[in-house]
Amino acid sequence: MSDEQGLFAFHDVVVERQGIRALNGFSARIEGLGVTGLSGPSGSGKSTLLRLCNRLEVPTSGQVLFRGDDVAGLDPLTLRRQVGMVFQKPTPFPGSVRDNLLAAAPDAGMDELEQALLRASLDGSWLDRDATTLSGGEAQRVCMARTLAMEPEVLLLDEPTSALDQAAVEIFEQAVSELVKAGLAAIWVSHDTVQLRRVADVVLRIDDGRYAGTDRIEHGSPAEEV
Amino acid sequence: MEGDVSIAGLATSLALVGVAAAISLWQRLGLERRILWAAARALVQLLLVGAALALIIEEGRPLAWSWLWVVAMVAYAGDVARRRAPEVPGVMWLAIAAFSAAAIISLGVLFGFGVLPLEGRTLVPLAGMLVGNSMTATVLVARRLVEELRDKRDEVEARLALGHASQQASTPYLRTALRSAVTPQIETTKATGLVFLPGAMTGLILAGVSPTDAVLVQAVVMFLILGSVTTTAVVMALGLIRRLFTSDHRLRWLPRQAET
């Protein structure tokens, strides 16, 4: 990765849908070291920004760069396998947990499947469970394991714990923390600033579709505004 | 012919429309005007179509007139599909493509292999059966597919986010939509002869054709319809997938249909 180019860079990005601007000239850079938090009020454009990173959304104007390359010029399917995403609402596919993991990595062997589960704080005993009967927290970790099964370089997290109870939130946060320690870059969208101070190393603030500043988090001390 | 209906007979049969209108009046359904209008409209339409068909398919007429009739029928069916499923983007052209594909395949088999002689009197009615009976499945598969992809958008996007191409990401929803569109025709085909006697066969028997010959014609028609329903549904569904996803594998915005 080029340190100068950062992981993602946004140049004057506008996203307009049905006449409403979700992003309104957003420019910023995400270094991609540890966990980058994206914070802002509801409707400020956080999730839209995240969806630009794996091209589930494209800008109306402006440019999004991934490691210095314009994502518009990259193969979207390859990009999405490099930049995995966990959504706000757990979306287990019908079938077993194994079926879900194989949807992401059809050629994966038993070891790879178990490894993906372990990285999401689950274990091999989950493989034969029906993915559609899991609790919210369990389903979300299965979805994370599914994303990890394709060995992404970056993990996009779109309010992944907003529907989980406190115990499930802690397990999820711990799992992400372990992944980041192992070298994975994560971008975590949340409206919960307390959570972002807990999990993120740096937080980008978005307001009304525009970049509103960056906070570097010194864990154990108050945030430092940049 | 034994099945000839005189003008007096036709007028007498209108008494049955009167029965329907009388029931509406008796039960205060408020449908009597609509019943009378529907019956009058159907009669006029049938008389006009009958006159036009007589001109087109009578012996000695060039076959091109019959083909032209088929083309017009397919185009009109596309417009009907558009009116029935306005929430489905591009449904008219997709329906026209679907009916055309079914016509080429089904009529190609029937006429190409000499099952029936290629004449105006066979081409026009068979194409009519094909289009008319495929209409429901064509509209159903389109509506169901849009509904599935719209309501399960989160799941579809989760599949796309795993690097699945749009064709792969939409496969489960495509299968659901196709099954729901084709299953009724399979059930109808299974029940034919036991639960009900199909229109073509009944018409032939009433017109004096022997039941054995009528059954053979009906079997051909049933297979034509089954093949056409499946072909139109699959062409519509596959075409629609191309419309609902962008070329870079994103699911387009699918607005919910306004409540009517």
Side-chain angles (χ1 to χ4, degrees), chain A residues 8 10 49-55 64 71 79 83 156 187:
Chain A
F8 285 101
F10 305 87
L49 194 67
L50 205 65
R51 289 162 60 86
L52 290 170
C53 296
N54 68 347
R55 221 167 122 183
V64 180
V71 298
L79 174 71
V83 182
L156 307 175
I187 305 175

Side-chain angles (χ1 to χ4, degrees), chain B residues 185-194 222:
Chain B
Q185 189 56 44
I186 296 173
E187 294 304 317
T188 303
T189 307
K190 271 163 60 183
T192 302
L194 297 175
M222 287 303 295

Side-chain angles (χ1 to χ4, degrees), chain A residues 18 51 55 80-81 91 103, chain B residues 157 160 162 164 248-249:
Chain A
Q18 283 86 50
R51 289 162 60 86
R55 221 167 122 183
R80 288 173 195 162
R81 295 189 72 77
T91 50
Chain B
E157 290 202 322
L160 293 172
L162 294 175
H164 291 187
D248 61 348
H249 309 280

Side-chain angles (χ1 to χ4, degrees), chain B residues 129 133 136-137 180-199 218 221-223 225-226 229:
Chain B
M129 296 293 276
N133 285 281
T136 304
S180 71
V182 175
T183 301
Q185 189 56 44
I186 296 173
E187 294 304 317
T188 303
T189 307
K190 271 163 60 183
T192 302
L194 297 175
V195 181
F196 72 98
L197 294 177
Q218 183 58 51
V221 169
M222 287 303 295
F223 301 150
I225 292 171
L226 189 57
V229 163

Side-chain angles (χ1 to χ4, degrees), chain A residues 18 51 54-58 75-78 80-81 83-85 87 89 91-94 100 103-104 106 146-147 150, chain B residues 151-168 172-173 246-251 253-255:
Chain A
Q18 283 86 50
R51 289 162 60 86
N54 68 347
R55 221 167 122 183
L56 277 182
E57 195 113 27
V58 292
D75 172 43
L77 305 184
T78 308
R80 288 173 195 162
R81 295 189 72 77
V83 182
M85 188 168 196
F87 293 80
K89 191 175 146 203
T91 50
F93 305 147
N100 271 261
R146 189 175 65 192
T147 301
M150 57 179 190
Chain B
D151 296 349
K152 295 180 180 159
R153 187 178 190 99
D154 291 346
E155 210 179 287
V156 179
E157 290 202 322
R159 290 179 192 276
L160 293 172
L162 294 175
H164 291 187
S166 46
Q167 293 84 351
Q168 186 187 1
Y173 319 100
T246 61
S247 58
D248 61 348
H249 309 280
R250 289 179 292 115
L251 179 58
W253 173 249
L254 300 172

Side-chain angles (χ1 to χ4, degrees), chain B residues 79-253:
Chain B
D79 187 54
V80 172
R82 181 186 60 78
R83 279 183 276 130
R84 283 204 202 167
E87 77 278 23
V88 179
V91 69
M92 186 176 91
W93 293 108
L94 287 171
I96 288 174
F99 291 131
S100 302
I104 290 166
I105 293 171
S106 305
L107 299 178
V109 168
L110 291 187
F111 295 128
F113 289 98
V115 178
L116 289 165
L118 177 53
E119 297 166 2
R121 67 174 184 85
T122 51
L123 174 61
V124 172
L126 285 176
M129 296 293 276
L130 181 157
V131 172
N133 285 281
S134 306
M135 175 61 76
T136 304
T138 308
V139 170
L140 189 64
V141 80
R143 299 186 80 157
R144 184 69 194 266
L145 188 56
V146 168
E147 208 174 270
E148 282 278 313
L149 293 175
R150 185 187 57 216
D151 296 349
K152 295 180 180 159
R153 187 178 190 99
D154 291 346
E155 210 179 287
V156 179
E157 290 202 322
R159 290 179 192 276
L160 293 172
L162 294 175
H164 291 187
S166 46
Q167 293 84 351
Q168 186 187 1
S170 57
T171 297
Y173 319 100
L174 179 102
R175 285 186 185 143
T176 304
L178 278 175
R179 281 197 190 104
S180 71
V182 175
T183 301
Q185 189 56 44
I186 296 173
E187 294 304 317
T188 303
T189 307
K190 271 163 60 183
T192 302
L194 297 175
V195 181
F196 72 98
L197 294 177
M201 187 173 127
T202 313
L204 284 170
I205 293 171
L206 283 174
V209 174
S210 79
T212 316
D213 288 342
V215 161
L216 290 176
V217 172
Q218 183 58 51
V220 169
V221 169
M222 287 303 295
F223 301 150
L224 166 89
I225 292 171
L226 189 57
S228 308
V229 163
T230 315
T231 308
T232 51
V234 84
V235 171
M236 168 60 80
L238 292 175
L240 201 48
I241 291 293
R242 293 174 69 92
R243 291 288 306 233
L244 300 179
F245 288 85
T246 61
S247 58
D248 61 348
H249 309 280
R250 289 179 292 115
L251 179 58
R252 291 184 198 277
W253 173 249

Side-chain angles (χ1 to χ4, degrees), chain A:
Chain A
M1 181 204 318
S2 162
D3 288 343
E4 286 172 15
Q5 292 164 333
L7 186 64
F8 285 101
F10 305 87
H11 297 309
D12 203 18
V13 172
V14 172
V15 174
E16 193 172 306
R17 291 185 225 104
Q18 283 86 50
I20 296 167
R21 285 201 168 189
L23 286 175
N24 189 14
F26 183 92
S27 294
R29 202 168 69 167
I30 292 175
E31 302 299 343
L33 302 170
V35 176
T36 303
L38 295 179
S39 109
S42 182
S44 58
K46 306 183 295 291
S47 294
T48 304
L49 194 67
L50 205 65
R51 289 162 60 86
L52 290 170
C53 296
N54 68 347
R55 221 167 122 183
L56 277 182
E57 195 113 27
V58 292
T60 310
S61 65
Q63 213 179 18
V64 180
L65 305 181
F66 173 54
R67 299 194 198 289
D69 294 320
D70 191 336
V71 298
L74 301 175
D75 172 43
L77 305 184
T78 308
L79 174 71
R80 288 173 195 162
R81 295 189 72 77
Q82 290 174 302
V83 182
M85 188 168 196
V86 178
F87 293 80
Q88 181 171 10
K89 191 175 146 203
T91 50
F93 305 147
S96 65
V97 171
R98 184 195 309 273
D99 295 334
N100 271 261
L101 300 188
L102 288 174
D107 301 325
M110 192 65 176
D111 285 351
E112 284 121 318
L113 298 182
E114 285 187 352
Q115 193 57 36
L117 287 170
L118 281 174
R119 294 173 78 196
S121 297
L122 298 166
D123 60 51
S125 68
W126 287 70
L127 281 172
D128 293 321
R129 290 184 63 173
D130 182 350
T132 57
T133 58
L134 304 174
S135 71
E138 292 167 344
Q140 193 61 304
R141 276 185 288 147
V142 165
C143 290
M144 183 155 79
R146 189 175 65 192
T147 301
L148 294 171
M150 57 179 190
E151 303 279 352
E153 298 164 32
V154 185
L155 192 58
L156 307 175
L157 301 159
D158 188 3
E159 307 248 19
T161 60
S162 63
L164 310 189
D165 61 37
Q166 192 51 41
V169 170
E170 283 172 21
I171 296 170
F172 194 92
E173 287 180 2
Q174 185 59 37
V176 174
S177 166
E178 296 295 330
L179 290 168
V180 170
K181 273 185 204 157
L184 193 71
I187 305 175
W188 190 317
V189 162
S190 179
H191 65 276
D192 181 352
T193 51
V194 176
Q195 181 182 46
L196 285 183
R197 277 165 195 255
R198 207 163 51 227
V199 299
D201 300 291
V202 60
V203 175
L204 262 67
R205 283 180 277 116
I206 308 173
D207 194 15
D208 203 17
R210 290 175 186 273
Y211 172 67
T214 299
D215 300 327
R216 295 201 184 279
I217 311 295
E218 296 296 328
H219 289 289
S221 64
E224 174 198 337
E225 190 166 312
V226 178

